[in-house]
Amino acid sequence: MRNKTYINILVLFLFCTAENYSQTFGFGCLGLSGVYGGISQFNYQADGLNESLKIITADKTSAQNNLQFKQATGYRVGANIFRAKFKHVFLSAKGYFQFLKEEHSYSQSTSNGIEKNTYRLSLNHWGVGIDIGIPVFTILDLKLLEGGVTFFNSDFVSEVTIEGSTQSNYSVSPDKTKIGYYVGGGIIFYLVPDYISVEGTAAYSFFQFDKMTNNSDVTIPAEHINKKFIEQGGFTAVVQLNIGFPL
């Protein structure tokens, strides 16, 4: 039994030090793990929602009747499950939660006071992905390809208040979790090789929401609007700070 233990230790040692699989920049045997946080911008094409809002605000001014949902912003928190860097290539696996929101509102004078109409769409979602790339310089890596799967937990809220008092409020959401995916690439700039870095990612997201509903029979878009709530995704950009530690 003792001899077997010695053999296992020797194999692990050889794996960590063999030239063909040697980690660069002082990584541990299995690479790095860590956490990250950042900000993001998320584009999408919400034809069904925007067409519905035109009907809802048909009696408003041209500015109030031209609300367009197309770009959400927010922040991302997650973890690099591992990031293994070899001599000429690196590979990462990651998971994250994305907080995204777009909001539009307008106010108008009524006999009862100032009426404020607010519309808010959240596109919060979970994501898991992998990336592969190459080291360029000591402080710079190039992500050749990043891809992953997303799981949306979203809703749309409409609220009307007069002088701060809520007059009406409803929310709608998809009937089930929507699954999408994304592909992209980016760069990693190391502040402290390889433990603190700034990472930038540009990607294209693919997803669709047919409609959103609630228990009060509110459906957006209505059946006579022959468009999906969100027809398709779009380009997204993320800038994040990574903090890693060796495995």
Side-chain angles (χ1 to χ4, degrees):
M1 179 65 71
R2 179 174 298 178
N3 290 337
K4 185 176 180 180
T5 301
Y6 290 154
I7 291 173
N8 289 338
I9 294 173
L10 178 60
V11 170
L12 182 62
F13 175 78
L14 291 175
F15 174 79
C16 294
T17 58
E19 181 177 355
N20 288 339
Y21 296 91
S22 60
Q23 303 286 336
T24 57
F25 307 128
F27 272 31
C29 174
L30 300 179
L32 285 178
S33 181
V35 296
Y36 60 83
I39 57 175
S40 60
Q41 179 177 294
F42 195 85
N43 296 297
Y44 55 95
Q45 187 175 324
D47 292 352
L49 171 59
N50 290 330
E51 188 69 23
S52 299
L53 289 176
K54 283 185 179 181
I55 296 173
I56 294 172
T57 59
D59 61 338
K60 310 302 180 184
T61 66
S62 60
Q64 296 167 347
N65 185 237
N66 196 32
L67 301 178
Q68 290 290 313
F69 279 82
K70 59 182 179 180
Q71 184 180 91
T73 56
Y75 57 96
R76 174 181 294 191
V77 293
N80 288 314
I81 302 169
F82 74 85
R83 172 162 285 166
K85 179 178 286 186
F86 304 100
K87 191 172 184 179
H88 300 296
V89 68
F90 69 84
L91 176 68
S92 306
K94 61 186 65 179
Y96 66 86
F97 190 82
Q98 180 83 63
F99 300 88
L100 288 168
K101 181 179 71 172
E102 182 174 4
E103 181 175 300
H104 296 281
S105 63
Y106 63 86
S107 299
Q108 58 185 2
S109 297
T110 69
S111 58
N112 295 320
I114 300 299
E115 177 186 285
K116 182 178 181 181
N117 294 261
T118 302
Y119 306 100
R120 181 172 62 255
L121 175 64
S122 73
L123 291 172
N124 298 341
H125 61 272
W126 294 93
V128 292
I130 59 172
D131 62 48
I132 186 170
I134 57 173
V136 179
F137 303 111
T138 302
I139 61 172
L140 183 67
D141 285 352
L142 176 63
K143 291 198 300 180
L144 298 177
L145 178 66
E146 178 174 338
V149 181
T150 50
F151 305 88
F152 284 87
N153 179 23
S154 307
D155 61 27
F156 175 75
V157 176
S158 172
E159 182 180 39
V160 178
T161 62
I162 295 180
E163 298 296 333
S165 176
T166 300
Q167 304 300 304
S168 67
N169 182 296
Y170 69 84
S171 65
V172 291
S173 59
D175 56 355
K176 60 182 179 180
T177 299
K178 297 298 182 180
I179 300 175
Y181 63 96
Y182 69 92
V183 292
I187 59 173
I188 305 171
F189 179 77
Y190 291 95
L191 303 177
V192 180
D194 276 292
Y195 303 100
I196 302 178
S197 62
V198 176
E199 182 172 341
T201 304
Y204 195 92
S205 294
F206 299 85
F207 70 101
Q208 248 183 21
F209 291 170
D210 292 339
K211 61 183 178 180
M212 289 194 180
T213 61
N214 65 15
N215 293 332
S216 300
D217 295 326
V218 176
T219 299
I220 300 178
E223 290 186 5
H224 67 274
I225 299 176
N226 191 27
K227 294 181 179 179
K228 292 180 171 57
F229 187 96
I230 292 182
E231 290 281 351
Q232 61 185 33
F235 285 100
T236 181
V238 181
V239 178
Q240 65 193 51
L241 178 68
N242 301 316
I243 299 176
F245 52 86
L247 294 172

